Amino acid sequence: MALKLFKRSRDNPGKELIREVACEELFAAAQEYQIRELSFWTCVNMIANALARCEFRTYQGGKEVQGKEYYMWNYSPNANQNSTMFLHKLVAELYRNNEALIIEPPTREDGISTVVVADSWMQPEDRPSKQNEYYGVTVGSYQYQYPIPEKDVIHLQLNNKNMKPVLDGLYQSYYRLISAAMKQFEWAHGQHWKVHVTQIAPNGDDWAQNFQRMIQAQLKPFFDSNSAALPEFDGYKYEQISGDGGGDTRDIRAMVEDIFEFTARAMLIPTVLINGSVEGTADANNRFLTACIDPLCDQLQEEITRKRYGYRRWRRGDYVRVDSSAIIHFDLFANADNVEKIIGTGAFTINDVRRAAGQAPINEPWADQSFMTKNIGATQEITTPVTGGGGETNGS
């Protein structure tokens, strides 16, 4: 059974047959597509989950504030999505198309701004001396009928060159190896028989096809049933030539894991975070944050600050910072000694540490003060020489 593909053109309004696609080809393409999609979206979801744990911290006049802008980015970007859903769609569009477009519909009734991720748009050309304009911007089923200038959008670009077509080509090449391994496994563990016929009676040109159908009709019930009898006629001899049954699925699974690993490498994700290994996870998490997540946070805060605040407000200390410090789970009891040192050196306040640990701040003035232990002081104070008896300097 085959599927026929046709095309129509302006010059030829009638159907023109392109080719026939066998069902086996469709099934093979579906299997290759499933492995490709599984590896790609596993990596994308890992990045989106990490970015969703980041906190969008808003500043006015150099001081952190938690107002409408903070609420919009961290809780409710629009009426139909929370911040996690919004960031998942943003990361999906970014990695699937190498770029993403965030636009701002009209402000809501409560006075809070709204941001949504566009599903599609057209950009005729890049204009270095003028603002770009985006046409046919679509969000869901709604399409904007007017062009949106660059200053009114947040435009993110993942890489200078799109890696997705390169990955897709690599998937197709590598899947040939997986298909060969699967066929070899099926042959080794399948049923294959040879039928020897002593004398062939001529029965027309289609004798071979009719004989094949007859043999299959006799053997198929025998193979498919738990208990069956195989009829054997005079002049017929059946001989099993199946594979040795060796090998297992670990070779195939290893090839599938290879697809996950080169997908992770293309997205700058350490492979140990994909294959489930425990060894080196701490170092891998640091590399993941440094090479993959922090660049996304940098681009987001740069684009948000320059588009929604501008130069003058930035000079006044108004900006957005995407904080990725809360991505890794923080164990208070395991890090008790480190917490004491951080607070005791005056580097961070108690509320700073509680916020990094995902705990609610303490609503007391002393929780926002800096503390320093008495065994820490200025270099001049610690190295001041002590004068002993007789007026001589004693360094002890």
Side-chain angles (χ1 to χ4, degrees):
M1 185 176 179
L3 177 66
K4 295 183 179 181
L5 301 180
F6 297 91
K7 73 174 182 178
R8 286 190 176 96
S9 62
R10 294 180 180 179
D11 300 332
N12 184 14
K15 292 183 179 180
E16 179 183 353
L17 178 63
I18 302 176
R19 59 168 296 196
E20 292 187 2
V21 181
C23 289
E24 290 80 1
E25 294 183 61
L26 294 177
F27 292 144
Q31 291 176 346
E32 184 267 338
Y33 180 79
Q34 290 171 356
I35 295 178
R36 175 198 308 182
E37 291 295 285
L38 178 61
S39 60
F40 178 78
W41 290 112
T42 298
C43 294
V44 169
N45 288 336
M46 177 177 290
I47 296 171
N49 287 334
L51 189 63
R53 286 185 58 85
C54 295
E55 182 182 12
F56 288 69
R57 305 175 72 167
T58 55
Y59 294 81
Q60 291 182 5
K63 296 182 179 180
E64 185 175 2
V65 296
Q66 294 184 357
K68 293 181 179 180
E69 187 82 0
Y70 179 90
Y71 178 78
M72 182 194 72
W73 288 112
N74 292 282
Y75 292 97
S76 180
N78 55 71
N80 299 314
Q81 290 178 315
N82 56 44
S83 62
T84 300
M85 296 167 59
F86 172 84
L87 291 174
H88 269 263
K89 181 178 180 180
L90 175 64
V91 173
E93 293 295 328
L94 194 57
Y95 278 86
R96 182 168 53 190
N97 303 317
N98 196 50
E99 56 182 342
L101 199 68
I102 302 175
I103 61 175
E104 182 178 356
T107 303
R108 286 175 278 184
E109 295 179 355
D110 53 7
I112 300 177
S113 299
T114 296
V115 287
V116 295
V117 179
D119 293 298
S120 63
W121 68 89
M122 293 182 295
Q123 182 181 348
E125 60 182 1
D126 288 327
R127 300 183 294 182
S129 59
K130 296 182 179 180
Q131 291 191 64
N132 293 327
E133 290 185 340
Y134 301 90
Y135 295 85
V137 178
T138 302
V139 180
S141 59
Y142 179 79
Q143 185 177 35
Y144 289 81
Q145 302 300 319
Y146 54 87
I148 303 178
E150 181 71 34
K151 66 180 182 65
D152 293 336
V153 302
I154 296 174
H155 185 207
L156 305 175
Q157 184 171 335
L158 185 62
N159 300 302
N160 189 41
K161 296 293 183 181
N162 191 359
M163 291 286 293
K164 188 64 166 59
V166 180
L167 268 178
D168 291 342
L170 188 58
Y171 289 142
Q172 294 175 357
S173 300
Y174 203 85
Y175 189 75
R176 297 192 186 110
L177 299 177
I178 299 178
S179 299
M182 294 173 67
K183 290 179 181 178
Q184 183 179 3
F185 179 82
E186 291 174 353
W187 171 266
H189 294 267
Q191 290 280 355
H192 305 279
W193 289 69
K194 180 174 65 175
V195 181
H196 177 74
V197 183
T198 304
Q199 184 177 1
I200 299 178
N203 193 18
D205 297 336
D206 58 348
W207 179 88
Q209 291 82 358
N210 294 331
F211 180 76
Q212 182 69 26
R213 285 195 293 268
M214 181 191 68
I215 292 296
Q216 289 181 350
Q218 294 175 357
L219 292 180
K220 192 175 187 308
F222 176 73
F223 293 142
D224 294 344
S225 177
N226 293 329
S227 58
L230 176 64
E232 186 174 9
F233 305 100
D234 291 339
Y236 286 73
K237 181 181 179 182
Y238 297 96
E239 180 182 355
Q240 186 175 7
I241 58 172
S242 298
D244 55 6
D248 51 32
T249 59
R250 282 181 289 185
D251 294 336
I252 301 174
R253 188 168 63 249
M255 292 184 182
V256 174
E257 290 178 355
D258 288 343
I259 293 181
F260 278 84
E261 289 186 2
F262 67 64
T263 304
R265 288 194 181 99
M267 298 183 182
L268 303 179
I269 301 175
T271 56
V272 296
L273 300 180
I274 292 294
N275 58 30
S277 300
V278 179
E279 297 80 5
T281 302
D283 294 336
N285 281 327
N286 290 331
R287 294 200 304 270
F288 175 54
L289 295 178
T290 302
C292 182
I293 300 301
D294 285 346
L296 288 178
C297 295
D298 289 341
Q299 186 174 177
L300 263 173
Q301 63 191 22
E302 291 167 1
E303 189 72 357
I304 293 173
T305 299
R306 82 183 190 98
K307 293 292 183 62
R308 293 183 61 84
Y309 292 84
Y311 173 75
R312 292 183 178 179
R313 292 186 62 187
W314 172 79
R315 287 284 295 174
R316 295 199 303 262
D318 299 352
Y319 60 94
V320 170
R321 186 170 73 88
V322 183
D323 184 9
S324 62
S325 61
I327 292 178
I328 299 178
H329 176 70
F330 186 86
D331 190 339
L332 282 173
F333 299 99
N335 294 277
D337 294 338
N338 296 327
V339 169
E340 182 182 2
K341 293 178 182 179
I342 289 174
I343 296 176
T345 56
F348 292 92
T349 66
I350 294 176
N351 276 341
D352 289 337
V353 175
R354 291 182 63 86
R355 184 174 186 175
Q359 302 296 318
I362 299 174
N363 191 20
E364 295 290 343
W366 55 264
D368 292 312
Q369 295 178 357
S370 296
F371 296 92
M372 185 174 293
T373 57
K374 293 182 179 181
N375 61 344
I376 298 178
T379 305
Q380 295 82 355
E381 297 176 359
I382 297 175
T383 58
T384 300
V386 179
T387 304
E392 294 182 359
T393 301
N394 186 354
S396 61

